[in-house]
Amino acid sequence: MSERLITRRNLLQTTAVGAGALALGQFGVAPPASAATFYTGADVSWVPQMEAAGYYWLNSSGVREDILTILKGYGLNAVRLRTWVNPSSDPVNGHCSIDETAAMAVRAKAAGLAVDIDYHFGDTWNSVGVQNPPAAWASMTYSQMLTAMSNYVFHTMNVIKYYGVTPTWVQIGNEINGGICHPVGSVSKPAQMTGLLNTAHDMVKEVFPSALVMIHLAQPQNYSSLTTFFSGFSGNGGKWDMNGFSSYGSASVAAGIVANMASISNAYGKPYMQVEFGGQVGKVSSTESALEAYVTALRANGGQGLLYWEPEVYTQFTDYTMGAWNSSTFEPTAIMNGFTA
């Protein structure tokens, strides 16, 4: 599907892509997230690579099941899926091309789960401390990057649409306190940062008018970094529907951190949710308590959901130690009970 780049200029000339024609409007539009719905979910972007390596998951009764089925058993109703521009084949730090992300989105839709597409705008990890552009964009001017951004988001959204999935949310960047695609879109260049993000916003809306375009920031305990970003973004005409935040804090700080999420979101009149949470798998009881505390605080302060970051991961696959599955028994730990407490 994505071997031929679909841009706004050539879309009308595209009569067949892959196995069939790409017909805009062919698929039904999913309803937007409702304030009455509280979403609990997980980022499960490593699942295809883990499955390819032979990993599997058992439920709390020790029975092997599809990971999405197990997550639904804990009441989860959403998944987040990252996507990279030109990723490597490294199972931990690569994959997540748009075709792979779309395939996982199809699985999520079939399981009845809402989908959050998380653009990193890079070839591998971008986060609060790193915002590297894709290698193919690295030497571009601002004007050239605007065109690349427009074509890339329009194309990849159409890949998702081709496979029959309408995302509920689309994150235009991952933990972008410092901006995107450095140095061109750095927060220190707010007009250019906003121009790139607005281009991404517009292309998402052109393909999926109902999708909620989300701005994702990290470390809400650091309130000044939130205000620096939003003052530059909003002050330059930034367009977005919703805020998403990453927080891995303990139960004792959950209420204050969520209060910061609510405060900055209310200041700009936006709904919000927490799109990343995790805890030390070796500290099961404290992590379960923290998860429960964040869910409770978010519900009490108008938050619309919480997503756990890669709860299904095993330490044999990667050194990430904040999952929620036992790497020896392949069963979920009590951490997952924090969703249903």
Side-chain angles (χ1 to χ4, degrees):
M1 167 61 191
S2 63
E3 290 179 359
R4 176 179 178 183
L5 179 65
I6 299 173
T7 67
R8 298 177 71 197
R9 292 188 299 273
N10 70 23
L11 180 62
L12 295 179
Q13 285 75 45
T14 302
T15 57
V17 184
L22 174 63
L24 293 182
Q26 175 181 356
F27 304 105
V29 175
S34 167
T37 301
F38 188 87
Y39 289 89
T40 54
D43 190 312
V44 291
S45 302
W46 268 325
V47 163
Q49 295 81 262
M50 292 181 69
E51 290 174 333
Y55 293 102
Y56 58 89
W57 296 268
L58 305 182
N59 63 24
S60 58
S61 298
V63 177
R64 182 170 174 173
E65 282 188 308
D66 181 86
I67 183 60
L68 299 184
T69 300
I70 301 174
L71 293 175
K72 285 187 69 178
Y74 284 96
L76 275 62
N77 54 9
V79 296
R80 187 175 80 151
L81 304 169
R82 63 179 166 271
T83 194
W84 292 325
V85 180
N86 293 304
S88 72
S89 59
D90 184 292
V92 174
N93 304 304
H95 288 275
C96 300
S97 68
I98 190 57
D99 286 320
E100 292 171 307
T101 299
M104 195 63 197
V106 169
R107 284 179 61 178
K109 178 187 176 183
L113 298 166
V115 173
D116 175 14
I117 300 297
D118 177 20
Y119 282 115
H120 278 239
F121 299 134
D123 295 332
T124 187
W125 308 103
N126 274 325
S127 62
V128 66
V130 177
Q131 290 292 332
N132 294 323
W137 301 8
S139 61
M140 288 182 178
T141 65
Y142 171 58
S143 177
Q144 292 170 331
M145 196 173 286
L146 282 174
T147 299
M149 178 68 77
S150 176
N151 288 343
Y152 169 67
V153 175
F154 187 74
H155 164 65
T156 50
M157 286 287 95
N158 271 298
V159 172
I160 298 292
K161 187 169 188 174
Y162 174 81
Y163 284 104
V165 178
T166 297
T168 301
W169 313 270
V170 178
Q171 295 179 219
I172 50 173
N174 188 76
E175 297 188 337
I176 60 172
N177 304 53
I180 62 170
C181 297
H182 287 183
V184 174
S186 169
V187 72
S188 64
K189 300 175 181 178
Q192 293 187 178
M193 176 189 74
T194 303
L196 290 169
L197 290 169
N198 280 355
T199 294
H201 168 279
D202 292 348
M203 293 302 96
V204 171
K205 292 293 190 178
E206 187 160 331
V207 181
F208 294 115
S210 71
L212 295 173
V213 175
M214 186 185 297
I215 293 296
H216 172 205
L217 302 182
Q219 301 172 354
Q221 66 272 23
N222 183 5
Y223 200 79
S224 63
S225 75
L226 306 184
T227 56
T228 297
F229 174 87
F230 280 120
S231 62
F233 182 51
S234 179
N236 282 276
K239 295 184 281 187
W240 81 109
D241 299 317
M242 189 172 187
N243 295 334
F245 298 98
S246 301
S247 179
Y248 294 79
S250 66
S252 63
V253 297
I257 289 176
V258 171
N260 278 2
M261 297 182 198
S263 177
I264 195 72
S265 299
N266 291 339
Y268 290 94
K270 303 296 181 183
Y272 74 99
M273 63 191 297
Q274 184 173 339
V275 294
E276 289 189 26
F277 169 86
Q280 290 297 323
V281 72
K283 299 179 180 179
V284 172
S285 59
S286 61
T287 300
E288 178 186 355
S289 297
L291 178 56
E292 181 181 355
Y294 277 96
V295 169
T296 299
L298 285 160
R299 287 182 180 275
N301 287 275
Q304 293 192 5
L306 183 147
L307 310 181
Y308 198 115
W309 199 82
E310 301 276 14
E312 83 292 349
V313 75
Y314 297 128
T315 53
Q316 300 97 313
F317 177 74
T318 178
D319 59 2
Y320 176 69
T321 60
M322 301 181 80
W325 248 257
N326 188 305
S327 296
S328 298
T329 67
F330 290 1
E331 294 180 8
T333 66
I335 289 171
M336 294 298 295
N337 295 332
F339 278 115
T340 56

